[in-house]
Amino acid sequence: MDPREARRVEALTQRLCAMTRCAPNLVHVVRSPLRICPLGAHVDHQLGRVTGFALDQALLLAYVPDPGGRVRLASDDFPGEVSFDLEAIEPAQPGDWGNYPRGAAQVLRETFGITRGLTGVLGGPMPIGGLSSSAAVDVAYLLALQQANGLSVEPADNVRLAQRIENDYIGLHNGVLDQSMILLSRRGALTCLDCLDGGVTHIPNPMGRRFDLLVVFSGISRSLVGTDYNRRVAECGEAARLLLARAGLPADDASRLRHVPREAAEVDALPEPLARRARHFFGEMDRVEAGAQAWAAGDLESFGRLMRESGESSIANYECGSPHLVTLHATLNAIPGVWGARFCGAGFGGSAVALAHPDARERIVAVVNRTYPKEHPDVKSSFSLHFVATTDAAEVLR
Ligand code: GLA
């Protein structure tokens, strides 16, 4: 284990032992990594194809099972304690970090009738948003509660359970990108997922080409509930229904843009803003396909260019970049040695990610530190840069 992670495991274990008076050798630990999505933005909820990596920055959850069916949690990052009985799970409350453990417990109770709870302490890796820490906590609680109840669940089934936490319990109509990257990634490989049928391929970095992955946290985190996220998903669904109807094909509430045959995708015939949303979907599907081929060929320059174009389409067609992220997109893409950059995740706040030549490291740090806080003084003490590496999927460490 990475020594930094080992120190964090130790600190969480000590805190948990102080909280429960249990012996350290009874403590279990789940590691649940953050993720990035270089290509395939906002197409997962339309059953498109996406790409991603899990990062060497992971949430850790130290816990001991509770045979009495109580869940009690403390966090390094959120105030107070969360505490509830598996038999009396309350609905989600806006902005409450307890929503994620309650949601995980609820779907596991509905699916497997779990009876054992846990007492745990959660620790986040770094002060950043936009790398799907919410899916990382969903996965951490699922794995911990499953282990505490002696359940063994396939990663693909956990992808669906995590989706139910978000869609049914929290009320965010997102797709399966985040938890899939957290549950299915492999160190050093680009993970490609087809959200239509769940098919996964891992494309290794050919010839071991050197590259840097840089995450720039914009300084602003945002929970997606309450943003335009659900509205955009609804617009895409509406675009799908109109295109299917135009082509004389059946359409209903479950229709997604992926169901529209390419030859029937007469995007220009749609009213705005639906045309722009559909344009983003079909363009992004092409970029993901071209990106997978470029990665497989070791053509990181072309992969980077596609990331930049993907970010441009997110801004122009999907209309989802916050002003801070739009600045980072422009700043990073203009630095020599950056092959490409775009914002991660939904783009309503959070982080940008860049793929770059390792020799450009110092220049990138200097340019971002000089120009970004000048344009956005409101975040001058909260934005941050992180060079990250890829890692394996979430797991119960012990
Ligand atoms: C968020 C959602 C994902 C996905 C991305 C955008 O991270 O949780 O399902 O839609 O935004 O690609």
Side-chain angles (χ1 to χ4, degrees):
M1 190 194 301
D2 157 351
R4 276 172 320 162
E5 211 159 88
R7 281 195 294 278
R8 290 175 52 222
V9 166
E10 191 48 42
L12 288 172
T13 302
Q14 278 179 17
R15 188 169 167 199
L16 181 64
C17 291
M19 200 171 140
T20 58
R21 300 209 172 84
C22 73
N25 64 343
L26 297 180
V27 173
H28 298 278
V29 179
V30 168
R31 186 186 130 271
S32 187
L34 301 182
R35 67 95 187 90
I36 51 174
C37 168
L39 286 175
H42 285 292
V43 296
D44 61 341
H45 47 74
Q46 296 307 305
L47 307 178
R49 290 198 186 93
V50 296
T51 69
F53 296 109
L55 301 183
D56 61 344
Q57 303 287 339
L59 292 160
L60 297 171
L61 173 64
Y63 63 96
V64 282
D66 180 328
R70 190 146 193 90
V71 174
R72 188 182 154 212
L73 291 157
S75 158
D76 281 351
D77 306 296
F78 301 103
E81 270 190 23
V82 165
S83 181
F84 61 91
D85 272 320
L86 290 180
E87 288 193 355
I89 300 173
E90 304 269 326
Q93 306 290 323
D96 183 354
W97 68 273
N99 289 340
Y100 298 98
R102 282 196 297 266
Q106 176 144 315
V107 300
L108 289 177
R109 208 161 155 74
E110 285 165 6
T111 313
F112 301 106
I114 59 165
T115 55
R116 289 161 74 88
L118 54 80
T119 303
V121 182
L122 180 76
M126 49 186 183
I128 51 179
L131 306 184
S132 205
S133 49
S134 44
V137 288
D138 290 340
V139 169
Y141 294 129
L142 285 175
L143 295 186
L145 284 167
Q146 287 163 5
Q147 191 273 343
N149 284 278
L151 294 168
S152 166
V153 179
E154 289 298 316
D157 294 328
N158 271 327
V159 167
R160 292 294 160 204
L161 291 170
Q163 185 177 31
R164 280 171 53 195
I165 302 175
E166 298 280 336
N167 292 178
D168 302 344
Y169 184 77
I170 309 273
L172 184 71
H173 303 159
N174 56 353
V176 295
L177 163 73
D178 304 335
Q179 67 270 43
S180 300
M181 294 307 149
I182 292 165
L183 283 158
L184 305 168
S185 285
R186 286 192 198 151
R187 184 185 301 269
L190 178 74
T191 298
C192 299
L193 167 75
D194 189 333
C195 299
L196 185 64
D197 58 14
V200 179
T201 46
H202 294 102
I203 310 180
N205 171 26
M207 302 159 297
R209 262 196 84 180
R210 289 165 63 230
F211 64 88
D212 264 351
L213 282 174
L214 166 71
V215 170
V216 184
F217 172 47
S218 66
I220 298 181
S221 316
R222 187 149 296 156
S223 152
L224 290 182
V225 179
T227 65
D228 275 346
Y229 188 94
N230 282 351
R231 171 133 59 103
R232 292 284 182 282
V233 175
E235 288 165 351
C236 290
E238 179 62 12
R241 283 187 287 280
L242 289 176
L243 289 172
L244 287 166
R246 260 185 87 80
L249 295 166
D252 59 24
D253 284 353
S255 298
R256 299 289 180 270
L257 283 166
R258 185 68 184 280
H259 298 136
V260 179
R262 209 48 193 260
E263 62 283 3
E266 288 187 51
V267 171
D268 294 338
L270 288 171
E272 292 296 356
L274 305 188
R276 288 200 292 283
R277 311 299 182 246
R279 211 167 279 132
H280 173 76
F281 176 84
F282 292 107
E284 196 68 359
M285 287 289 283
D286 291 344
R287 283 184 287 274
V288 168
E289 199 181 321
Q293 281 168 13
W295 193 269
D299 182 359
L300 304 188
E301 292 80 357
S302 293
F303 191 90
R305 176 180 47 76
L306 291 160
M307 283 173 68
R308 189 190 72 226
E309 291 170 5
S310 163
E312 284 161 1
S313 175
S314 291
I315 296 166
N317 294 322
Y318 207 77
E319 297 180 279
C320 67
S322 70
H324 294 75
L325 290 173
V326 171
T327 301
L328 282 175
H329 180 262
T331 307
L332 288 165
N333 278 305
I335 302 173
V338 171
W339 291 321
R342 58 153 293 125
F343 37 85
C344 290
F348 296 103
S351 299
V353 58
L355 177 72
H357 195 293
D359 293 349
R361 213 175 244 226
E362 279 178 29
R363 184 186 316 133
I364 299 171
V365 172
V367 172
V368 174
N369 279 331
R370 191 177 67 242
T371 58
Y372 181 64
K374 222 184 260 173
E375 278 203 49
H376 297 283
D378 56 320
V379 292
K380 70 172 187 297
S381 50
S382 52
F383 86 98
S384 52
L385 284 84
H386 309 263
F387 287 94
V388 294
T390 65
T391 190
D392 289 322
E395 60 187 329
V396 180
L397 290 178
R398 66 171 198 225

